[in-house]
Each structure stands twice: as C-alpha cells, then as structure tokens.
Amino acid sequence: MPDNRIQLAVLDMAGTTVADGGLVLRAFEQAATAAGIEPEGPRRERARQYVLDTMGQSKIAVFRALLGDEDAAQAANRAFESAYDASIADTAVAPIPGAAEAITALRQAGVRVALTTGFSRGTQDALLTALGWTDLADLTLAPADAGRGRPYPDLVLTAALRLGVDAVANIAVLGDTTSDIATGLAAGAGIVAGTLTGAHTEQRLRAAGATHVIDSVAEFPALITS
C-alpha cells in the first residue's frame, strides 16, 4: 500500500520562516527609483500595491509586469537584489520564533523539508548564511532552480521530484501570501496552509483557498504529523 502520510513540507522563507523587518519593501523602493518610477504619485502607488499583492512571487517576474521591458526589469531586479543583500547583515533578519525548531521537528518525524523563495539563488544563499541555516533543511530552492517561481507549481514539484515523494497529496505547503497558496494548490498538495506572520491576512489566505490558517510556523509540525 502506498504511504499516505505527509512526506514533504515545502516552506516559504521571508514572512513564513524568516522575519526580515520589511526589508523586501525597502529594497523595492530603491529598485523602483533606480528603474525610473517617480518617488511619489499614482505610478509609484500602483507599483507599491502590486508588490504587496504579488508578495512571494519571483521578483524578476514582478518587475517584468511593472515595467514591461526586459532590460528595465533585469536592471530593477539587480538593484533590488543589491539593496536586499547589502542590508541583510545590517537588518534584524531573524528566524520567525520557533521556525528552526519546527523544521528540526519535522525532519526528526521523517518529513523532508524544502525551503523556497521568490528571491534569486544568491539572495537566498545570503539569507541562509546570515541565519546559520545552510544545513537546516533537506533542500533549498529559488525560482531559477525550478523553472518558474510562484504562483506556478514548479518549486513544489521540483522539491517533490528531488526528495522522492510518492504522490503530490503527500506534500504540505506553508506560506504567508496568496501566491504561496496558489503554488500549493496548483501542485496538488494535500495541505496548503497559510501563516499569519507575513504579508497577507487570514481573510485573504482563506479566500485564496488555504486548507488551514495557523498563527505561525511553530504550529506546523503538529498540523501535519498529528
């Protein structure tokens, strides 16, 4: 008989397992200015709202949608990554309380863990290093490692293939944004949970189709191993 327990937990980073003190939005402001979006006015406000609405998605995809030009999007993305990376060491980047313990508990219970992000591989590695998490999870994935970022299913499905999951129903996904929920649903995960430590509210997460909403990642092991 196939094993029908949760075998893989796919966890978002910023807002879900990592608290970065709003660094994403601050880095975006610098990138938007570098891209020529006026510091104030309707265009900047629309861009800010779009970034909030699409939080969790691949940053290059966000800039492509905002700017409509590949060269401009690539330049803005480089500016974003430079601003974010330069601030990691100087900002209160820290684990969400209980995150490392939750990941360790999951692995001790036999659940493989993948940490995913909408950042570049380089930015993800800088975060992992700053947190001391380079060996914490079984796998870490950025959009370039999988093909496409959120809201597509690629990150979750790549984790499933690399870590040898029997079926997509044996996957649990956790994230703080509607993009995380969309990714989990598109991948067919058995549990697609939202957490309230990040960008989007319980109402938005449930409206996006979350199967569960929890206060933080600290509650996730009990949800999927009970």
Side-chain angles (χ1 to χ4, degrees):
M1 294 291 290
D3 189 343
N4 62 3
R5 297 173 302 142
I6 294 297
Q7 299 172 333
L8 168 64
V10 179
L11 308 178
D12 170 53
M13 292 188 66
T16 300
T17 55
V18 180
D20 67 4
L23 184 51
V24 169
L25 294 178
R26 294 199 298 277
F28 163 74
E29 293 290 351
Q30 294 186 47
T33 298
I37 300 177
E38 300 82 359
E40 298 298 335
R43 187 179 180 216
R44 186 68 158 232
E45 287 302 318
R46 286 194 297 270
R48 287 176 180 138
Q49 189 59 51
Y50 186 78
V51 169
L52 289 170
D53 290 342
T54 59
M55 196 69 77
Q57 293 188 19
S58 170
K59 296 301 176 280
I60 183 60
V62 171
F63 285 117
R64 283 173 178 145
L66 283 173
L67 300 171
D69 177 87
E70 183 64 20
D71 290 341
Q74 291 288 349
N77 193 56
R78 287 192 295 272
F80 173 89
E81 291 179 1
S82 178
Y84 195 99
D85 292 356
S87 299
I88 286 174
D90 301 324
T91 304
V93 173
I96 295 288
E101 293 83 354
I103 292 168
T104 299
L106 287 168
R107 295 183 72 188
Q108 289 176 343
V111 179
R112 282 148 274 180
V113 177
L115 292 173
T116 64
T117 185
F119 298 143
S120 70
R121 178 80 250 178
T123 296
Q124 184 182 41
D125 286 344
L127 263 180
L128 291 167
T129 298
L131 294 164
W133 281 12
T134 52
D135 298 316
L136 182 63
D138 295 283
L139 180 68
T140 62
L141 291 173
D145 301 319
R148 297 171 298 179
R150 307 180 191 109
Y152 299 101
D154 302 30
L155 286 164
V156 175
L157 296 179
T158 297
L161 289 169
R162 292 196 187 180
L163 294 176
V165 174
D166 292 343
V168 291
N170 296 59
I171 302 171
V173 172
L174 180 67
D176 64 294
T177 70
T178 57
S179 297
D180 293 302
I181 303 304
T183 290
L185 294 175
I191 291 175
V192 183
T195 177
L196 299 179
T197 51
H200 292 160
T201 64
E202 179 175 2
Q203 182 179 14
R204 291 192 65 179
L205 294 168
R206 290 195 184 280
T211 59
H212 305 75
V213 176
I214 58 178
D215 287 334
S216 83
V217 63
E219 300 175 10
F220 201 49
L223 175 65
I224 69 174
T225 60
S226 58

